[in-house]
Amino acid sequence: MKTKDLFSGFSLTLIAILIAAGNYSCSDTEVMDKTVFNIYYSGMTDIGPSMSGVISSPTYKGGSPGKFTITEVTLNREVVTNDIFSINPDNGSISIASKKETPTGLYSLSISCVSAGKSYRFDNIVQINMMKPVPEGITVEPNKLQVEYAAVISESNEEKLPTAQVKTDGNHVSIRRYEIAKSEYSDCFNISQSGEISIVKGCERLQPGIYLLSLKLTTGASGEDEGIFENAIEINITSKPLGLTYRPDNGKIEEETVQSGQTTFTSNAPQLKGSLEGVNYSITNIVPPTEKIKIDAGTGILSVAANHGFKAKEKFVVSVRVANDYAPEGVDFNDVFTLEAVNFIAPIENFAYPDTEGIQAVEMEIKPNEDFKGDEVSFEFVELNPVLSGALLLQSDGTIVVQHGNNIPLGEYIVKVKASNPKSILENPTVATFKLSIKENPNFFTFFHYGNNLGLTPVENHADQFRVAANDKLSSIHPKPASTDAKVPLKWSLKTISQTNGTTIDEITGEITLAGLKAGQTGAVLVTATAGEGKAAVSVTRPVFFNYPKEFDGILIEYTPFVIQANPKKKTVSASAVVTGAEADNIIMDYRRSFNYHSFISSHKKGAPNATEGSFLATLWENYFTLKGTTPNFGSKDPVSFFRNESNLNLPLGYVDNQNGLSIVVNPEKWIADGEYANGLFFGQMTYATKSEGNVDGSKRQIFPVVIWFDTKF
């Protein structure tokens, strides 16, 4: 099997390369808004001069974006002009064409785009770390590893996987830090701080194939220089053929008659799970037997040529053998495709859609006209307006589904759909054209804000957060909605998240009555505002936060804001703590226990770092201990402790910085699992003591002074 072109769209289907798996976002509304518009680019790209490639088109939530332009390029925060980067105006993919003489450093791209008829500019949403090569004399031995797939996915420790070692030529350079350049598979590989590269056993996302890994190395040659070691090692995960799938796994061919003339058939190429080196396809059996069905030995495509003589109602079930270099005798896959002969495949007739009028943000279905006819028809959009591409889904029967909550701008759109079947003429395909009109939905709105009682402005840049003064009563605050762009009255509802059981909301006014929060805690609720009823209803949901400080021995610790809005791709440093009743420099504090995470995305399971429940925090805890080279301890505070990581503060997920005003530090590229960054709330109890007391772990001064809100838009 050949590796794919390393920089062909930065494809990661088989090759784990330099792109960090992650998302930058474009947004003009809050993350919890169900009508939010977000664009997600791949994260930090580590690349070296003379390397070229493409950062793939962004994914998005909400209305489809278009009219992309690069508005500014900076190198190490200084504006530069160059021709290294270009952007596709239609789909937003970014091409990189660097040269040997390209200056190294951190490039940041600001990009504008248009969605829902609005223009957006997003500063520094794409970052490219142009790194100089590591000094000569650094090698990996061996620079190729080969391992059986079965051994990789096995969680048994009986069979050890091969490893490789980063080495230097003599003593001319020392390596101070080792990292694997980020990719969607980078967490399936590990490199120790002694330079040993290994494969993480049990990582089921690894499939048979060749993975090219690049390394980020920090050397002591020139003032702690960071460089990239391109394609440092090739790891070939091998296997016999494990699975063969045709999609679809059935087809029809029309019998040959005077009326139909000669007919033929060609299947799609199958998907093979297994190594592709030396792959060879052959037919082992057809029931009933026939020699008219052929297979391409290199691609697995099934075909039937003219003059086959098949009669209507005949069915042929095909079994296929696949051989490769690791199973030259081949593996049989039985009954993987069925071909049926029919007396007639109806040609496409009367294919059309009615002109349709819809309401802003409301779902609907648009079906082909009732007199539409045709067998074995496939459908696809033609020249679809980019504004519609995220909101319209085309189903297998030709039905077009307009999704609820879509951000299609008001106006009229021409939609074209092509229908094809074995009787269609490719040179003159059948295309239906209709007009889609989107009318105003009086219920449509995008935000509401409660504001805060901390004096934070502008309120739209901060979470909705309210503090109950120490020793005061919960009834001292009654948060009410302060602003919204809704044009009709809203109906309010509430769901408690943390430490707020019993909290209620007035469904007419939106006023919140706080309950359940105890002194020393920080809690949150999810508030939903709904405009209208039925299909035309529009809802927006946002978290609202509460902090109730508590004094211990006359010492009070507060953070403003107490909601730390953190982008998990970037380093975040909170405001320093305000200490009352003691000298701030005389206080030590650390995360201690009761860690909990509430996720806003279904792919990350909420809860404590409990391995048996497979929580998001459990994955992060395991990643920490793996990097540290020790056995995971899911009951430990170490992954977020300052004092357990004082010698290497880049290792933990985050910590209380006891050297800088007790600010909270969130380390970048740590809060990610299964290729998706954190989008949710992290709560954790801290303990504090005076320096003379020293024992911060055993302190009875236990508080939840902050909550960390993760979202890539921050």
Side-chain angles (χ1 to χ4, degrees), residues 558-675:
E558 296 177 318
Y559 289 84
T560 302
F562 63 83
V563 180
I564 302 170
Q565 297 181 155
N567 184 333
K569 297 178 182 181
K570 303 176 183 179
K571 184 175 182 177
T572 300
V573 180
S574 78
S576 297
V578 175
V579 180
T580 304
E583 292 293 331
D585 292 342
N586 191 38
I587 298 295
I588 56 175
M589 187 162 67
D590 209 9
Y591 272 110
R592 184 67 182 96
R593 59 175 71 84
S594 300
F595 306 113
N596 199 10
Y597 182 76
H598 181 92
S599 181
F600 293 142
I601 54 178
S602 59
S603 56
H604 290 164
K605 189 172 182 179
K606 66 181 181 180
N610 189 319
T612 59
E613 296 179 358
S615 68
F616 176 61
L617 289 186
T619 301
L620 304 191
W621 254 239
E622 185 172 11
N623 291 345
Y624 166 85
F625 285 105
T626 298
L627 288 174
K628 200 172 182 179
T630 59
T631 302
N633 179 355
F634 297 99
S636 170
K637 75 165 189 173
D638 290 10
V640 288
S641 169
F642 172 85
F643 294 104
R644 297 290 197 273
N645 300 283
E646 198 167 356
S647 62
N648 181 7
L649 290 173
N650 292 316
L651 184 61
L653 309 174
Y655 55 91
V656 181
D657 193 344
N658 283 265
Q659 297 172 341
N660 293 286
L662 302 179
S663 60
I664 312 299
V665 177
V666 181
N667 276 330
E669 302 293 344
K670 299 287 187 181
W671 300 79
I672 180 173
D674 298 326

Side-chain angles (χ1 to χ4, degrees), residues 123-145:
D123 294 332
N124 307 321
I125 65 167
V126 177
Q127 293 183 313
I128 298 96
N129 188 15
M130 193 73 66
M131 305 172 65
K132 62 184 179 182
V134 296
E136 293 184 3
I138 299 177
T139 59
V140 174
E141 297 181 12
N143 63 358
K144 292 185 179 182
L145 294 179

Side-chain angles (χ1 to χ4, degrees), residues 316-338:
F316 302 92
V317 181
V318 183
S319 298
V320 174
R321 176 174 297 160
V322 186
N324 65 11
D325 285 351
Y326 308 100
E329 72 284 359
V331 176
D332 291 345
F333 298 96
N334 297 324
D335 305 339
V336 292
F337 194 86
T338 300

